[in-house]
Amino acid sequence: MNHIICYFLIFFMESVILWQYSSNLFVPRRSLPARITILCVLYCLLFFAASLFQSNGINAFLYLFSDFIFLETQYRLKAQSAFFHSAILSAVMGMCELLVYGIFKCFAPHFLENGRDAFHLFLFATFSKLLFFTITHILIHYLKGKKHYEQPNDNSVFFLLLVPLASLFIILTFINIGESVSLSPELDFMIAISAISLLAANLLVFSINQYNQKKNMEFTEMQLLLQKESNSEEYYEMLRLQNENQRILIHDIKKHLQSIDLLNKQNEPDKIDA
């Protein structure tokens, strides 16, 4: 029963973090009740899947897939952008867990062993999710006021995706090794340092992706300005030609009127009529 409560709290905190991240950064596609309903359904399924499979790899994949489904269906995002943010969130969460796991193992070599003691599991969940919440809050603050609408397709995001996906694989490898083999405090410390390095690498990838999006937006705006300037130039050229034609027409009418006036003074009605 204690383990069920711990897992419920874990998934509840993860759902709150995803909600905060998505609500602050992305433009909703659905109504508020619809988003809450879909989020609850997805994380209930995650909760039952975690209780059923008890596998880090499967649970990590399901978490990534659930976040992707939520972001892609409930917000105005392209599929590749939704998958990128899902992968970043999954990688950051995994690295927070790995970092906390490595630090705790330095002081308690048998941490989370003996059938995953409920008290240790609660401590692990609390510290790792607090760290996860802090990092996502920093990302939100960094992107505050920059709501993401649907962007043009940017194939570079597929190359950036390799980093968080590779990080997820490395994290799962480290966690499985730590749970299968009793490591020395030095190795646990090295794992914690590796988690920090992976976290920094993924944050760098996130920053690069945001930089690319900013440059793409600036390029698009520049193209629009150039198109607007080109249209304005064509419009003013058309006005110039129209004024020139009007000037010629007025000049011709003036000459005709002068000729009629001269013929009238000469009393030549036949030529005037002609």
Side-chain angles (χ1 to χ4, degrees), residues 4 24 66 99 101 137 146 159 163 171 175 182 191 194 249:
I4 294 176
N24 281 278
S66 298
L99 177 59
Y101 181 75
H137 187 73
K146 300 178 181 178
F159 297 101
V163 176
I171 290 164
I175 291 177
S182 181
I191 289 177
S194 299
L249 179 62

Side-chain angles (χ1 to χ4, degrees), residues 101-117:
Y101 181 75
I103 293 174
F104 278 18
K105 288 275 285 185
C106 292
F107 300 98
H110 301 288
F111 182 72
L112 286 185
E113 295 180 5
N114 302 322
R116 288 183 177 271
D117 179 75

Side-chain angles (χ1 to χ4, degrees), residues 201-263:
N202 280 269
L203 293 179
L204 177 62
V205 167
F206 183 84
S207 300
I208 291 173
N209 180 64
Q210 296 307 127
Y211 176 79
N212 287 340
Q213 286 190 356
K214 180 181 177 182
K215 288 299 179 183
N216 287 338
M217 287 296 295
E218 291 177 352
F219 178 76
T220 302
E221 290 175 359
M222 185 179 297
Q223 292 293 104
L224 291 174
L225 287 174
L226 289 174
Q227 183 64 38
K228 183 178 179 180
E229 183 177 349
S230 176
N231 292 338
S232 299
E233 183 179 357
E234 293 177 359
Y235 174 73
Y236 288 123
E237 179 64 18
M238 182 186 66
L239 287 179
R240 189 190 67 80
L241 293 175
Q242 184 178 358
N243 290 333
E244 180 69 18
N245 292 332
Q246 288 178 347
R247 189 187 64 82
I248 295 172
L249 179 62
I250 292 172
H251 178 268
D252 291 344
I253 292 175
K254 184 179 179 181
K255 291 296 183 182
H256 282 82
L257 291 174
Q258 289 175 349
S259 300
I260 292 173
D261 181 58
L262 180 62
L263 292 172

Side-chain angles (χ1 to χ4, degrees), residues 134-201:
T134 302
I135 293 174
T136 53
H137 187 73
I138 292 172
L139 293 177
I140 291 169
H141 181 74
Y142 172 72
L143 297 171
K144 189 176 181 180
K146 300 178 181 178
K147 289 280 187 178
H148 288 227
Y149 293 84
E150 291 188 16
Q151 302 291 339
N153 290 329
D154 184 8
N155 294 328
S156 64
V157 71
F158 291 109
F159 297 101
L160 295 177
L161 270 173
L162 296 176
V163 176
L165 292 178
S167 300
L168 277 175
F169 179 78
I170 295 171
I171 290 164
L172 292 173
T173 302
F174 280 157
I175 291 177
N176 287 329
I177 290 175
E179 292 184 345
S180 302
V181 181
S182 181
L183 302 176
S184 64
E186 291 79 11
L187 288 176
D188 289 328
F189 179 75
M190 291 176 66
I191 289 177
I193 296 298
S194 299
I196 295 175
S197 301
L198 286 172
L199 180 60

